[in-house]
Amino acid sequence: MTTVTTRTVAYPADNLTMVGHLALPAGAGRRPAVLIGPEGMGLSDVERRRAEALAELGYVALAFDLHGGRYLEDPEEMLARCMPLLADPDRMRGIGHAALDVLRAEPRADPDRTAAVGYDTGGAVALELGRDGVDLRAIGTVNALTTGRPGEAARIRCPVWAGVGSEDPIMPPAQREAFTAEMQAAGVDWRLVVYGGALHAFHHPPVDHTAPPGVGHHPRHAQRAWRDVVALLAECLPVTD
């Protein structure tokens, strides 16, 4: 196992002081870099561990923040914060750009070789970076089949991989169809994996607080989705010494 180092990084975005988690691989050279966006509740140890897992594979990884260092366990508070955010592409892009600037400024990161992976709200942020024309090598999302403003998906310059649970009530078949139609019309190199029987947030380990209806962990599909994300990065953003 390689030695991974981590540190907390504070940076401004969305009129808040965000607190991200940066994970660096062993060695001293520049490496490809990956943004990791959290679910709507905010940055947690789940995303921090994913950043560290990517660093083990040789990536510089930044798990970014959505809520100024807070984790919103209360579903009502989370929705009150996230629904206006999801309805405002420019705010999402601001959050994404601020995190991407931090990542690209890291001396170990190759600023010309970056990707964005996100879950739920964090995935919507990753997609908006693509629709804003950011030079990314790959975008990967889970439970984030959000559509954008008309015509802007044509600015996406990289492959897009998306995963969703077949029983996800928040991302139902109609939303899947709208998302894939947008990607197809824009000429994007896209893939969608539907994980049979999985609910919303199927990738996320069980939490202490009560999960709302339609949300649930699916251990097998969680592992498969992670492997699919790693395969996307290996294809589009390979680590080379």
Side-chain angles (χ1 to χ4, degrees):
M1 182 178 292
T2 58
T3 301
V4 168
T5 57
T6 65
R7 70 172 186 268
T8 299
V9 290
Y11 59 96
D14 202 40
N15 298 314
L16 298 169
T17 298
M18 300 299 187
V19 183
H21 183 75
L22 183 69
L24 303 174
R30 282 193 165 183
R31 293 291 184 269
V34 183
L35 277 182
I36 302 176
E39 287 198 328
M41 292 177 292
L43 182 59
S44 72
D45 285 342
V46 172
E47 293 83 23
R48 294 183 185 99
R49 287 194 297 268
R50 286 178 179 143
E52 292 162 19
L54 290 180
E56 290 279 358
L57 297 174
Y59 296 97
V60 175
L62 175 65
F64 66 83
D65 185 10
L66 290 173
H67 308 311
R70 298 186 63 217
Y71 182 78
L72 308 182
E73 293 185 7
D74 179 3
E76 290 188 6
E77 184 181 13
M78 183 270 290
L79 289 172
R81 162 97 178 139
C82 287
M83 295 308 290
L85 178 61
L86 288 166
D88 191 336
D90 292 325
R91 278 183 67 198
M92 287 192 284
R93 292 175 188 187
I95 289 172
H97 276 289
L100 187 60
D101 288 347
V102 170
L103 180 61
R104 286 178 165 169
E106 162 55 45
R108 292 291 312 284
D110 183 344
D112 297 322
R113 291 194 297 153
T114 59
V117 173
Y119 299 84
D120 191 63
T121 303
V125 170
L127 285 166
E128 283 305 321
L129 285 176
R131 294 187 183 105
D132 202 29
V134 173
D135 181 15
L136 298 169
R137 297 295 180 91
I139 296 171
T141 76
V142 180
N143 302 332
L145 305 182
T146 52
T147 51
R149 291 183 291 221
E152 291 190 343
R155 299 177 184 172
I156 295 175
R157 303 162 62 181
C158 64
V160 171
W161 175 92
V164 68
S166 70
E167 306 309 301
D168 184 342
I170 300 172
M171 295 289 159
Q175 184 64 35
R176 286 181 236 160
E177 292 169 11
F179 175 77
T180 57
E182 179 195 34
M183 294 294 110
Q184 185 64 22
V188 175
D189 176 2
W190 65 273
R191 283 170 280 174
L192 173 65
V193 177
V194 180
Y195 296 94
L199 298 168
H200 193 70
F202 71 89
H203 64 91
H204 199 291
V207 293
D208 293 334
H209 50 85
T210 302
V215 174
H217 183 50
H218 195 300
R220 287 196 308 277
H221 284 327
Q223 293 176 355
R224 289 165 176 162
W226 177 248
R227 287 198 298 265
D228 286 343
V229 166
V230 171
L232 172 75
L233 295 174
E235 174 191 340
C236 300
L237 194 67
V239 176
T240 56
D241 293 327

